[in-house]
Structure formats: C-alpha cells, structure tokens
Amino acid sequence: MSSHPTDFQGSVIDALREAIERQIPDSRAEVNGGGGHYIIEVTSPVFAGKSMLESHRMVYGTIAELMNGDRAPVHAVDSLKTRTPTE
C-alpha cells in the first residue's frame, strides 16, 4: 500500500461503506484497503437487471465526494464488485 496525503479525518473505510449503504437501497457494502486504495464489494437487489457498468456507475456516484480533489481520501478503487443477493 502506498501513502496518500489527505486532510480527511476519521475512517475512510467507514465513510465509504456509509455513503454506499445510505444511497443505494437495501445495500450491504464491504470495504477494505488503505493508503488511498480500496477494494469494494456491494450487494443490493437494485442491481437486478442492470449491466455491470450501470451498477458500477451507481456505486461510484455514491462515493464521488470522497474521490474529488487533490487531497481526497480515496485515490483509487482497485477492485469493485457488485451483485444481487441471489448471486
């Protein structure tokens, strides 16, 4: 893991999980990583019938605020997986 300078205070992992779960209905997010690089897995029934691209755009939309700016706490999402509860 690399070091990533940020002014963010608190747990970035918690902030990512809370942003996703707050904005995507009935979702459960698992977030791991650090140093600006994160791995995210999101399960929600709202992904049913959506393409992977559509589902990923939904997730990125919920965390955009944590990725914007030179000193944003999230530098990269190294892996993003989305699925429905039945997958």
Side-chain angles (χ1 to χ4, degrees), residues 2-65:
S2 64
S3 174
H4 179 72
T6 181
D7 298 322
F8 184 83
Q9 299 293 312
S11 169
V12 177
I13 288 174
D14 289 344
L16 285 164
R17 187 181 64 252
E18 290 166 7
I20 294 165
E21 290 179 350
R22 181 177 59 249
Q23 297 177 61
I24 296 178
D26 302 315
S27 65
R28 184 179 52 82
E30 295 180 31
V31 182
N32 294 292
H37 292 256
Y38 297 89
I39 297 168
I40 302 172
E41 294 185 22
V42 184
T43 304
S44 176
V46 300
F47 298 141
K50 293 191 174 20
S51 69
M52 182 176 66
L53 181 59
E54 290 171 314
S55 298
H56 284 199
R57 282 182 176 159
M58 288 178 69
V59 174
Y60 279 115
T62 69
I63 63 172
E65 183 177 295

Side-chain angles (χ1 to χ4, degrees), residues 69-81:
D70 292 339
R71 296 183 64 81
V74 178
H75 174 69
V77 175
D78 293 338
S79 174
L80 174 58
K81 294 180 182 174

